[in-house]
Amino acid sequence: MAKDYTFKNTIPLAPLKIIAMENCAEFGKAVDDYIVGFRKNDQEILQQRESNIEFRGYDRDSYLVETSCPRFGSGEAKGMIHESVRGSDLFILSDVTNYSMTFPMYGREHRMSPDDHYQDLKRIIATSMTSARRVNVIMPFLYESRQHKRTNRESLDCAMALEELANMGVTNIITFDVHDPRVQNAIPLHDFDSFPVVYQFMKALLGKDKDIPTDKNSLMIISPDEGAMGRAVYLANNLGVDVGMFYKRRDYSRVVNGKNPVVAHEFLGADVEGKTCLIIDDMIASGDSMLDTAKELKRRKAKRIIVCCTFGLFTSGLDNFDRYYNAGYFDYVITTNLNYRNPDLLTRPWYLEADMTKYVATIINTLNHDVSLSGVMSHTEKLQRLIHNYRNS
């Protein structure tokens, strides 16, 4: 795709409208600004807008639609859309991990959990479904994606949520770096796309630090467990470097906080001594496993350690990361802005952010024109060009 905003001989499926739920309002505004900019530069289409009804309203000052989910004193809520979305191609953005939001119930303030955010999302979908031409959901952190498989007598929440959205009539479900992409098997006849973020990681890192080696003898990609191996192998192949993997040896005779505790981290791969190691994974929850991995790499005499995770949740706070950084166990932690980040995180000297707003805007703009997403989903060409330019500079 030559340009993210140029679509020759195509017309929009329907007038574009975007709902950014309150939990990601700032992110949605940045996405909207990019799309406005895309279309103001799409001169070929703008020349047709006066004579072709399909392009009426193609360029606007904003595509955002105002909504709200007010609550009663009992904690029950309702979804409200404050302008018409009839006949539109509607995209709804929601960050179910935004724990900073609260709601009143019985005279007290309660923090919103992913369950509360998901219910509000369904309320807005239900409000818009009868009149919108098409409803698309962009949920960067897929709701309940950590509960993606059944091992014992337990619920399969992610699959149930996907089936619920599909049965409500949602056409496209879009997420990023999903914990296990096989969960889409729950809705095999519906569109489900999980987009990679490796290119944005490397763009943020190489733009910040000009001393990152990219040769095989100095750089190594590390998977902290077997689940992240696919991401690590993809990046290692593009860089032409080796890959290593840790696997967790667990004590299956005990259960602590709902899971079997990790006894030790075992490493499979070449020697890391003197190398820069990039640890890549989909999320940082408490961060204990990631910090243990960094500590193990330092014990094996790795020179520099950089952590790349799509979602930085930091559920146990930042103190452990501060302590490990001050002890020299890692150099950077890179996460995206796809989920809510505590303002304190943004002030940390060890934190880098990979901006995803332009990427999300490109996805929305492409889908609205109803053309193939293959050019947007594949990062190989852009990644190769980025690495080539970095090495030559």
Side-chain angles (χ1 to χ4, degrees):
M1 192 177 300
K3 292 284 186 180
D4 295 329
Y5 49 81
T6 299
F7 299 94
K8 295 182 179 179
N9 303 318
T10 62
I11 61 175
L13 177 78
L16 173 63
K17 292 197 174 181
I18 301 171
I19 292 176
M21 302 291 289
E22 188 180 354
N23 52 38
C24 60
E26 183 179 347
F27 184 87
K29 179 63 171 64
V31 169
D32 178 60
D33 289 342
Y34 269 115
I35 297 177
V36 170
F38 289 168
R39 297 195 170 186
K40 286 188 181 303
N41 286 293
D42 204 339
Q43 298 298 325
E44 182 176 337
I45 287 181
L46 294 181
Q47 291 171 4
Q48 303 181 49
R49 61 180 175 174
E50 300 300 332
S51 58
N52 196 334
I53 193 172
E54 285 87 353
F55 291 96
R56 187 171 55 187
Y58 185 82
D59 63 321
R60 301 177 57 181
D61 293 332
S62 176
Y63 300 92
L64 290 173
V65 175
E66 185 180 353
T67 64
S68 61
C69 290
R71 290 183 180 266
F72 301 99
S74 61
E76 299 166 295
K78 62 180 178 180
M80 300 177 65
I81 300 179
H82 301 294
E83 66 179 82
S84 174
V85 294
R86 184 171 300 279
S88 65
D89 188 16
L90 183 63
F91 289 81
I92 307 176
L93 285 76
S94 179
D95 173 19
V96 298
T97 65
N98 190 337
Y99 63 89
S100 69
M101 294 178 58
T102 62
F103 65 91
M105 186 170 70
Y106 292 98
R108 297 182 180 179
E109 290 294 319
H110 295 261
R111 287 194 179 274
M112 293 187 69
S113 71
D115 293 343
D116 297 312
H117 288 302
Y118 179 63
Q119 290 299 324
D120 280 352
L121 171 64
K122 289 195 297 180
R123 292 180 176 109
I124 295 300
I125 293 172
T127 307
S128 61
M129 188 58 70
T130 56
S131 56
R133 170 75 178 276
R134 184 174 72 172
V135 174
N136 314 272
V137 169
I138 300 180
M139 197 186 308
F141 185 95
L142 185 62
Y143 174 68
E144 289 288 3
S145 58
R146 301 185 73 181
Q147 183 55 18
H148 62 282
K149 62 182 179 181
R150 176 180 288 148
T151 53
N152 294 306
R153 292 184 294 274
E154 58 188 23
S155 59
L156 200 55
D157 294 56
C158 189
M160 290 193 297
L162 291 177
E163 287 185 344
E164 190 172 21
L165 293 177
N167 291 335
M168 289 183 75
V170 173
T171 303
N172 295 300
I173 300 173
I174 299 158
T175 188
F176 293 84
D177 222 350
V178 69
H179 193 62
D180 190 335
R182 291 173 295 183
V183 75
Q184 66 185 296
N185 294 336
I187 49 170
L189 301 181
H190 286 79
D191 283 332
F192 176 95
D193 292 302
S194 176
F195 289 85
V197 299
V198 174
Y199 170 74
Q200 280 77 14
F201 282 152
M202 295 305 297
K203 183 178 179 182
L205 176 60
L206 300 183
K208 171 70 174 181
D209 195 329
K210 301 302 182 183
D211 296 323
I212 300 296
T214 58
D215 62 285
K216 184 176 181 179
N217 296 323
S218 305
L219 180 66
M220 192 169 180
I221 309 301
I222 305 296
S223 172
D225 54 40
E226 59 274 18
M229 202 55 187
R231 303 177 188 91
V233 169
Y234 174 76
L235 180 56
N237 286 343
N238 276 282
L239 289 165
V241 301
D242 289 333
V243 64
M245 184 193 81
F246 282 89
Y247 69 91
K248 300 170 185 174
R249 188 149 53 85
R250 295 181 180 273
D251 182 0
Y252 287 101
S253 65
R254 296 186 298 134
V255 176
V256 179
N257 294 327
K259 56 187 178 182
N260 303 108
V262 177
V263 177
H265 292 266
E266 306 291 351
F267 183 68
L268 300 174
D271 186 14
V272 301
E273 184 175 354
K275 294 182 179 179
T276 296
C277 294
L278 261 62
I279 308 173
I280 186 164
D281 205 357
D282 62 326
M283 74 173 73
I284 294 174
S286 66
D288 291 342
S289 294
M290 196 63 63
L291 293 174
D292 287 344
T293 300
K295 189 174 182 178
E296 285 294 318
L297 288 171
K298 268 299 182 187
R299 189 174 68 82
R300 289 171 168 82
K301 300 181 180 179
K303 182 179 180 181
R304 302 183 68 191
I305 296 170
I306 298 164
V307 177
C308 300
C309 284
T310 309
F311 302 102
L313 305 182
F314 299 98
T315 58
S316 296
L318 304 174
D319 291 344
N320 277 345
F321 282 85
D322 289 338
R323 186 162 56 253
Y324 273 65
Y325 173 73
N326 292 331
Y329 286 121
F330 67 88
D331 295 81
Y332 297 116
V333 172
I334 306 174
T335 74
T336 69
N337 59 345
L338 288 169
N339 65 288
Y340 171 77
R341 285 100 53 233
N342 188 315
D344 289 342
L345 174 65
L346 307 182
T347 67
R348 292 305 198 265
W350 45 263
Y351 179 69
L352 290 179
E353 183 175 275
D355 184 20
M356 297 293 294
T357 51
K358 185 177 182 181
Y359 190 23
V360 173
T362 303
I363 293 169
I364 293 174
N365 199 38
T366 304
L367 278 174
N368 180 236
H369 284 83
D370 209 25
V371 297
S372 173
L373 281 170
S374 59
V376 181
M377 295 189 73
S378 176
H379 278 175
T380 303
E381 183 180 343
K382 294 171 69 175
L383 190 56
Q384 291 286 346
R385 187 165 59 248
L386 175 69
I387 296 168
H388 174 77
N389 292 339
Y390 179 81
R391 285 172 174 168
N392 288 341
S393 66

